[in-house]
Amino acid sequence: MNGYMIITNNPMVRDKLGETHNVVYQEISYEDILKDVRDRIHEGHTLLSHPLSGSVKPNETPYKSIMVSEKKGAVDAQGLAIIENAIQACGKFVFRSDKYKPEVYGDFQLIDLTLIESGITSADTQMWSEH
């Protein structure tokens, strides 16, 4: 498709990008998204977007979308270090869903969608310039 896939627990990302991009949607926690991406890096996928992008901390949002390569190659050691650090950082925070009203979740989804769309634009531009 695009040379990358988006791993997400954000239903807005699934709904807005699922028809045009390879979106792997799972109803799991923020931390579990990080662990899923780590497992994919161990399988040879390359990390393409930073897991802690934006100024939103793991305890401030339940949603995360991360881009990895579709192709597998050698283990991305730098990506593995980044995702492991993100998992450790995430472990220091506890998401408190009781802090927020239900309508705020749409805002969290939109922020995550905007961040991943920015990453997609960058990835698409880079892949286009390589051809």
Side-chain angles (χ1 to χ4, degrees):
M1 232 178 181
N2 307 75
Y4 54 83
M5 60 182 143
I6 301 165
I7 313 303
T8 188
N9 65 351
N10 182 343
M12 190 180 288
V13 169
R14 175 199 62 205
D15 296 346
K16 299 257 173 152
L17 301 176
E19 305 245 336
T20 55
H21 293 78
N22 183 356
V23 175
V24 179
Y25 172 78
Q26 302 171 79
E27 290 188 26
I28 58 178
S29 71
Y30 186 115
E31 186 171 5
D32 285 338
I33 286 290
L34 297 177
K35 290 177 179 177
D36 180 278
V37 169
R38 177 198 56 202
D39 294 346
R40 290 172 191 272
I41 293 171
H42 277 292
E43 293 170 4
H45 295 279
T46 302
L47 182 66
L48 298 177
S49 66
H50 199 287
L52 298 178
S53 59
S55 59
V56 183
K57 295 178 181 68
N59 65 322
E60 294 174 338
T61 181
Y63 301 107
K64 190 66 205 167
S65 300
I66 302 173
M67 293 171 56
V68 297
S69 67
E70 286 183 336
K71 289 184 181 176
K72 294 180 184 178
V75 173
D76 173 17
Q78 181 180 3
L80 194 56
I82 290 169
I83 200 74
E84 289 288 359
N85 286 336
I87 291 168
Q88 280 189 329
C90 192
K92 296 175 187 172
F93 298 105
V94 175
F95 178 73
R96 300 266 324 250
S97 60
D98 58 342
K99 290 195 314 190
Y100 302 108
K101 295 179 177 157
E103 54 271 19
V104 175
Y105 289 87
D107 294 340
F108 288 139
Q109 292 174 22
L110 183 60
I111 291 166
D112 179 61
L113 174 66
T114 302
L115 287 169
I116 202 65
E117 284 179 331
S118 172
I120 288 168
T121 300
S122 177
D124 288 348
T125 301
Q126 184 174 358
M127 287 183 185
W128 179 254
S129 66
E130 290 174 0
H131 291 103

